[in-house]
């Protein structure tokens, strides 16, 4: 019998797999770093909402708010990838995106209501 290609040259990673063989798990991200990575994007969304309210015309609110949300999504990925921690990435990203969406949604509701009242 000949050996199968899977058996040739593949070292045994051990009972825990290759991730466990890489070494001890990294330390968790400090709470301050999590707060900064999430809060910075929320502050960006807030600043963009204020700029949109102050500088754009009512007919363009929706377009600018959509663009601001897109910028917030890209900034969220950048901020969470900059932490270089895979543990909790999805939760941090979801928190960041949800907060940005809520902030810009509140701005959209306020700007929409003020447009209707004028």
């Amino acid at each position: 019998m000949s050996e199968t290609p899977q058996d040739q040259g593949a070292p045994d990673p051990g009972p825990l797999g290759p991730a466990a063989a890489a070494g001890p798990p990294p330390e968790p991200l400090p709470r301050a770093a999590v707060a900064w990575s999430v809060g910075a994007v929320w502050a960006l969304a807030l600043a963009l909402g204020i700029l949109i309210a102050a500088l754009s015309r009512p007919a363009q609110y929706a377009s600018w708010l959509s663009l601001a949300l897109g910028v917030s999504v890209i900034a969220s990925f950048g901020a969470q990838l900059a932490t270089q921690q895979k543990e909790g990435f999805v939760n941090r990203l979801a928190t960041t995106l949800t907060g940005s969406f809520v902030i810009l949604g509140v701005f959209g509701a306020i700007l929409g209501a003020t447009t209707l009242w004028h």
Side-chain angles (χ1 to χ4, degrees), residues 12-62:
D12 182 23
L16 299 177
E27 293 185 24
L29 199 60
R31 289 183 75 84
V34 171
W36 277 106
S37 69
V38 172
V41 179
W42 288 357
L44 173 67
L46 184 64
L48 290 173
I50 292 170
L51 286 173
I52 291 167
L55 301 176
S56 69
R57 288 180 270 160
Q60 298 175 337
Y61 286 157

Side-chain angles (χ1 to χ4, degrees), residues 19 25-26 29 80-81 83-92:
L29 199 60
Q80 298 315 318
L81 289 173
T83 63
Q84 298 183 356
Q85 294 286 325
K86 66 180 181 178
E87 298 297 320
F89 174 78
V90 173
N91 290 335
R92 292 191 314 271

